[in-house]
Amino acid sequence: MADIREMRYFLLGDGGRNPFPEIKGWSEVLDVRKINRKEYQELPSSFQLKMHTRIDHILPDILLSPFLLLSERAMDVVSFYDPEIPWCFVVLFDDSGKECASYFCPILEEEDCVVVESNQEGETVRLDRRRMKGLPLFQIQVKDRKKTVIRMDLAESLLMRHAIGLELKVTV
């Protein structure tokens, strides 16, 4: 494996105004605080969620809100890079009941490698490479929000397979 300090990492983004489905009522079905490596076994191995779709919606390979969901195609790629990731199976149903989609929720490790630096332009979030484990996909805590970080080789593999919904934001 290459030296962690030499690897490139990106924050996953959702592209903003894409016509992705909006997941509704998830807080009644799932305690998202348990989507972590310590408590995930308390979650059901599969669950159903409602989604609101618009007329021009897209079912992407990667959904970030309200938590990370991957299509089967994206899950297969991620599993190749990290076969140890546990998964929950999720079925999304639209409001009308006419459309459904299968997704997988990865139970990612959270790495404590965030350094927030203040400067004249505000705050910059930086990854401390010395505290990183070299995982291809993991979460970080930035203030009160969790963000997903992806290693460049995994991101490239998803892009080569034309993954929909993959937006990469440069990290420092």
PDB file of all heavy atoms in Angstrom, residues 43-61:
ATOM      1  N   LEU A  43     -29.094  -2.098  14.920  1.00  0.00           N
ATOM      2  CA  LEU A  43     -29.950  -1.696  13.801  1.00  0.00           C
ATOM      3  C   LEU A  43     -30.526  -2.938  13.124  1.00  0.00           C
ATOM      4  O   LEU A  43     -29.897  -3.995  13.136  1.00  0.00           O
ATOM      5  CB  LEU A  43     -29.144  -0.911  12.765  1.00  0.00           C
ATOM      6  CG  LEU A  43     -28.554   0.424  13.191  1.00  0.00           C
ATOM      7  CD1 LEU A  43     -27.603   0.936  12.113  1.00  0.00           C
ATOM      8  CD2 LEU A  43     -29.657   1.424  13.451  1.00  0.00           C
ATOM      9  N   PRO A  44     -31.684  -2.793  12.484  1.00  0.00           N
ATOM     10  CA  PRO A  44     -32.171  -3.917  11.675  1.00  0.00           C
ATOM     11  C   PRO A  44     -31.244  -4.121  10.473  1.00  0.00           C
ATOM     12  O   PRO A  44     -30.630  -3.169   9.984  1.00  0.00           O
ATOM     13  CB  PRO A  44     -33.565  -3.471  11.233  1.00  0.00           C
ATOM     14  CG  PRO A  44     -33.582  -1.994  11.406  1.00  0.00           C
ATOM     15  CD  PRO A  44     -32.590  -1.653  12.462  1.00  0.00           C
ATOM     16  N   SER A  45     -31.109  -5.349  10.008  1.00  0.00           N
ATOM     17  CA  SER A  45     -30.229  -5.614   8.867  1.00  0.00           C
ATOM     18  C   SER A  45     -30.819  -5.062   7.573  1.00  0.00           C
ATOM     19  O   SER A  45     -30.106  -4.869   6.594  1.00  0.00           O
ATOM     20  CB  SER A  45     -29.952  -7.101   8.726  1.00  0.00           C
ATOM     21  OG  SER A  45     -31.159  -7.802   8.527  1.00  0.00           O
ATOM     22  N   SER A  46     -32.130  -4.820   7.579  1.00  0.00           N
ATOM     23  CA  SER A  46     -32.773  -4.192   6.426  1.00  0.00           C
ATOM     24  C   SER A  46     -33.957  -3.365   6.916  1.00  0.00           C
ATOM     25  O   SER A  46     -34.533  -3.652   7.959  1.00  0.00           O
ATOM     26  CB  SER A  46     -33.248  -5.245   5.428  1.00  0.00           C
ATOM     27  OG  SER A  46     -34.235  -6.065   6.007  1.00  0.00           O
ATOM     28  N   PHE A  47     -34.286  -2.335   6.148  1.00  0.00           N
ATOM     29  CA  PHE A  47     -35.431  -1.494   6.494  1.00  0.00           C
ATOM     30  C   PHE A  47     -35.943  -0.786   5.253  1.00  0.00           C
ATOM     31  O   PHE A  47     -35.261  -0.735   4.225  1.00  0.00           O
ATOM     32  CB  PHE A  47     -35.119  -0.508   7.628  1.00  0.00           C
ATOM     33  CG  PHE A  47     -33.835   0.245   7.471  1.00  0.00           C
ATOM     34  CD1 PHE A  47     -33.799   1.470   6.839  1.00  0.00           C
ATOM     35  CD2 PHE A  47     -32.644  -0.280   7.967  1.00  0.00           C
ATOM     36  CE1 PHE A  47     -32.623   2.172   6.704  1.00  0.00           C
ATOM     37  CE2 PHE A  47     -31.458   0.424   7.837  1.00  0.00           C
ATOM     38  CZ  PHE A  47     -31.450   1.651   7.194  1.00  0.00           C
ATOM     39  N   GLN A  48     -37.168  -0.273   5.363  1.00  0.00           N
ATOM     40  CA  GLN A  48     -37.814   0.440   4.262  1.00  0.00           C
ATOM     41  C   GLN A  48     -37.979   1.905   4.641  1.00  0.00           C
ATOM     42  O   GLN A  48     -38.292   2.227   5.779  1.00  0.00           O
ATOM     43  CB  GLN A  48     -39.194  -0.148   3.979  1.00  0.00           C
ATOM     44  CG  GLN A  48     -39.162  -1.586   3.567  1.00  0.00           C
ATOM     45  CD  GLN A  48     -40.567  -2.154   3.408  1.00  0.00           C
ATOM     46  OE1 GLN A  48     -41.559  -1.437   3.494  1.00  0.00           O
ATOM     47  NE2 GLN A  48     -40.652  -3.437   3.171  1.00  0.00           N
ATOM     48  N   LEU A  49     -37.770   2.754   3.643  1.00  0.00           N
ATOM     49  CA  LEU A  49     -37.940   4.191   3.835  1.00  0.00           C
ATOM     50  C   LEU A  49     -38.769   4.761   2.693  1.00  0.00           C
ATOM     51  O   LEU A  49     -38.747   4.232   1.582  1.00  0.00           O
ATOM     52  CB  LEU A  49     -36.579   4.888   3.874  1.00  0.00           C
ATOM     53  CG  LEU A  49     -35.644   4.492   5.007  1.00  0.00           C
ATOM     54  CD1 LEU A  49     -34.263   5.109   4.794  1.00  0.00           C
ATOM     55  CD2 LEU A  49     -36.204   4.900   6.349  1.00  0.00           C
ATOM     56  N   LYS A  50     -39.466   5.845   2.984  1.00  0.00           N
ATOM     57  CA  LYS A  50     -40.238   6.534   1.951  1.00  0.00           C
ATOM     58  C   LYS A  50     -39.360   7.575   1.284  1.00  0.00           C
ATOM     59  O   LYS A  50     -38.533   8.215   1.928  1.00  0.00           O
ATOM     60  CB  LYS A  50     -41.457   7.221   2.560  1.00  0.00           C
ATOM     61  CG  LYS A  50     -42.468   6.266   3.129  1.00  0.00           C
ATOM     62  CD  LYS A  50     -43.610   7.028   3.750  1.00  0.00           C
ATOM     63  CE  LYS A  50     -44.540   6.064   4.461  1.00  0.00           C
ATOM     64  NZ  LYS A  50     -45.540   6.755   5.252  1.00  0.00           N
ATOM     65  N   MET A  51     -39.570   7.727  -0.012  1.00  0.00           N
ATOM     66  CA  MET A  51     -38.850   8.781  -0.735  1.00  0.00           C
ATOM     67  C   MET A  51     -39.865   9.615  -1.497  1.00  0.00           C
ATOM     68  O   MET A  51     -40.880   9.112  -1.965  1.00  0.00           O
ATOM     69  CB  MET A  51     -37.805   8.196  -1.685  1.00  0.00           C
ATOM     70  CG  MET A  51     -38.349   7.402  -2.838  1.00  0.00           C
ATOM     71  SD  MET A  51     -37.009   6.877  -3.935  1.00  0.00           S
ATOM     72  CE  MET A  51     -37.873   5.651  -4.914  1.00  0.00           C
ATOM     73  N   HIS A  52     -39.565  10.884  -1.578  1.00  0.00           N
ATOM     74  CA  HIS A  52     -40.379  11.794  -2.373  1.00  0.00           C
ATOM     75  C   HIS A  52     -39.601  12.049  -3.662  1.00  0.00           C
ATOM     76  O   HIS A  52     -38.437  12.449  -3.626  1.00  0.00           O
ATOM     77  CB  HIS A  52     -40.628  13.098  -1.622  1.00  0.00           C
ATOM     78  CG  HIS A  52     -41.304  14.137  -2.455  1.00  0.00           C
ATOM     79  ND1 HIS A  52     -42.626  14.034  -2.820  1.00  0.00           N
ATOM     80  CD2 HIS A  52     -40.832  15.271  -3.011  1.00  0.00           C
ATOM     81  CE1 HIS A  52     -42.939  15.081  -3.577  1.00  0.00           C
ATOM     82  NE2 HIS A  52     -41.864  15.841  -3.701  1.00  0.00           N
ATOM     83  N   THR A  53     -40.243  11.793  -4.780  1.00  0.00           N
ATOM     84  CA  THR A  53     -39.581  12.011  -6.073  1.00  0.00           C
ATOM     85  C   THR A  53     -40.339  13.068  -6.860  1.00  0.00           C
ATOM     86  O   THR A  53     -41.547  13.224  -6.715  1.00  0.00           O
ATOM     87  CB  THR A  53     -39.533  10.712  -6.897  1.00  0.00           C
ATOM     88  OG1 THR A  53     -40.862  10.210  -7.058  1.00  0.00           O
ATOM     89  CG2 THR A  53     -38.672   9.670  -6.227  1.00  0.00           C
ATOM     90  N   ARG A  54     -39.580  13.775  -7.686  1.00  0.00           N
ATOM     91  CA  ARG A  54     -40.192  14.734  -8.600  1.00  0.00           C
ATOM     92  C   ARG A  54     -40.300  14.077  -9.962  1.00  0.00           C
ATOM     93  O   ARG A  54     -39.768  12.998 -10.206  1.00  0.00           O
ATOM     94  CB  ARG A  54     -39.333  16.001  -8.658  1.00  0.00           C
ATOM     95  CG  ARG A  54     -39.265  16.722  -7.321  1.00  0.00           C
ATOM     96  CD  ARG A  54     -38.506  18.022  -7.445  1.00  0.00           C
ATOM     97  NE  ARG A  54     -37.131  17.828  -7.856  1.00  0.00           N
ATOM     98  CZ  ARG A  54     -36.088  17.925  -7.067  1.00  0.00           C
ATOM     99  NH1 ARG A  54     -36.255  18.199  -5.797  1.00  0.00           N
ATOM    100  NH2 ARG A  54     -34.872  17.754  -7.521  1.00  0.00           N
ATOM    101  N   ILE A  55     -40.945  14.740 -10.857  1.00  0.00           N
ATOM    102  CA  ILE A  55     -41.173  14.188 -12.187  1.00  0.00           C
ATOM    103  C   ILE A  55     -39.864  13.930 -12.941  1.00  0.00           C
ATOM    104  O   ILE A  55     -39.767  13.000 -13.719  1.00  0.00           O
ATOM    105  CB  ILE A  55     -42.128  15.100 -12.983  1.00  0.00           C
ATOM    106  CG1 ILE A  55     -42.935  14.283 -13.940  1.00  0.00           C
ATOM    107  CG2 ILE A  55     -41.393  16.187 -13.702  1.00  0.00           C
ATOM    108  CD1 ILE A  55     -44.172  14.974 -14.444  1.00  0.00           C
ATOM    109  N   ASP A  56     -38.836  14.721 -12.658  1.00  0.00           N
ATOM    110  CA  ASP A  56     -37.566  14.600 -13.374  1.00  0.00           C
ATOM    111  C   ASP A  56     -36.466  13.982 -12.507  1.00  0.00           C
ATOM    112  O   ASP A  56     -35.291  14.219 -12.712  1.00  0.00           O
ATOM    113  CB  ASP A  56     -37.104  15.971 -13.869  1.00  0.00           C
ATOM    114  CG  ASP A  56     -36.842  16.945 -12.738  1.00  0.00           C
ATOM    115  OD1 ASP A  56     -37.297  16.681 -11.603  1.00  0.00           O
ATOM    116  OD2 ASP A  56     -36.168  17.959 -12.968  1.00  0.00           O
ATOM    117  N   HIS A  57     -36.829  13.151 -11.542  1.00  0.00           N
ATOM    118  CA  HIS A  57     -35.849  12.639 -10.576  1.00  0.00           C
ATOM    119  C   HIS A  57     -34.872  11.631 -11.195  1.00  0.00           C
ATOM    120  O   HIS A  57     -35.129  11.041 -12.242  1.00  0.00           O
ATOM    121  CB  HIS A  57     -36.566  12.007  -9.379  1.00  0.00           C
ATOM    122  CG  HIS A  57     -37.217  10.698  -9.687  1.00  0.00           C
ATOM    123  ND1 HIS A  57     -38.440  10.611 -10.296  1.00  0.00           N
ATOM    124  CD2 HIS A  57     -36.795   9.435  -9.485  1.00  0.00           C
ATOM    125  CE1 HIS A  57     -38.749   9.340 -10.446  1.00  0.00           C
ATOM    126  NE2 HIS A  57     -37.780   8.603  -9.979  1.00  0.00           N
ATOM    127  N   ILE A  58     -33.764  11.493 -10.507  1.00  0.00           N
ATOM    128  CA  ILE A  58     -32.715  10.539 -10.863  1.00  0.00           C
ATOM    129  C   ILE A  58     -32.464   9.675  -9.627  1.00  0.00           C
ATOM    130  O   ILE A  58     -32.415  10.191  -8.514  1.00  0.00           O
ATOM    131  CB  ILE A  58     -31.406  11.276 -11.211  1.00  0.00           C
ATOM    132  CG1 ILE A  58     -31.593  12.180 -12.411  1.00  0.00           C
ATOM    133  CG2 ILE A  58     -30.267  10.297 -11.451  1.00  0.00           C
ATOM    134  CD1 ILE A  58     -30.422  13.129 -12.632  1.00  0.00           C
ATOM    135  N   LEU A  59     -32.299   8.383  -9.835  1.00  0.00           N
ATOM    136  CA  LEU A  59     -31.896   7.507  -8.740  1.00  0.00           C
ATOM    137  C   LEU A  59     -30.384   7.309  -8.853  1.00  0.00           C
ATOM    138  O   LEU A  59     -29.907   6.517  -9.651  1.00  0.00           O
ATOM    139  CB  LEU A  59     -32.632   6.162  -8.817  1.00  0.00           C
ATOM    140  CG  LEU A  59     -34.132   6.234  -8.551  1.00  0.00           C
ATOM    141  CD1 LEU A  59     -34.799   4.906  -8.838  1.00  0.00           C
ATOM    142  CD2 LEU A  59     -34.394   6.671  -7.112  1.00  0.00           C
ATOM    143  N   PRO A  60     -29.610   8.042  -8.049  1.00  0.00           N
ATOM    144  CA  PRO A  60     -28.156   8.018  -8.191  1.00  0.00           C
ATOM    145  C   PRO A  60     -27.533   6.783  -7.543  1.00  0.00           C
ATOM    146  O   PRO A  60     -28.190   6.045  -6.801  1.00  0.00           O
ATOM    147  CB  PRO A  60     -27.725   9.287  -7.451  1.00  0.00           C
ATOM    148  CG  PRO A  60     -28.741   9.404  -6.371  1.00  0.00           C
ATOM    149  CD  PRO A  60     -30.040   8.950  -6.993  1.00  0.00           C
ATOM    150  N   ASP A  61     -26.265   6.595  -7.795  1.00  0.00           N
ATOM    151  CA  ASP A  61     -25.519   5.524  -7.147  1.00  0.00           C
ATOM    152  C   ASP A  61     -25.122   5.914  -5.730  1.00  0.00           C
ATOM    153  O   ASP A  61     -24.858   5.045  -4.903  1.00  0.00           O
ATOM    154  CB  ASP A  61     -24.257   5.197  -7.956  1.00  0.00           C
ATOM    155  CG  ASP A  61     -24.598   4.558  -9.284  1.00  0.00           C
ATOM    156  OD1 ASP A  61     -25.260   3.499  -9.275  1.00  0.00           O
ATOM    157  OD2 ASP A  61     -24.221   5.118 -10.330  1.00  0.00           O
TER     158      ASP A  61
END
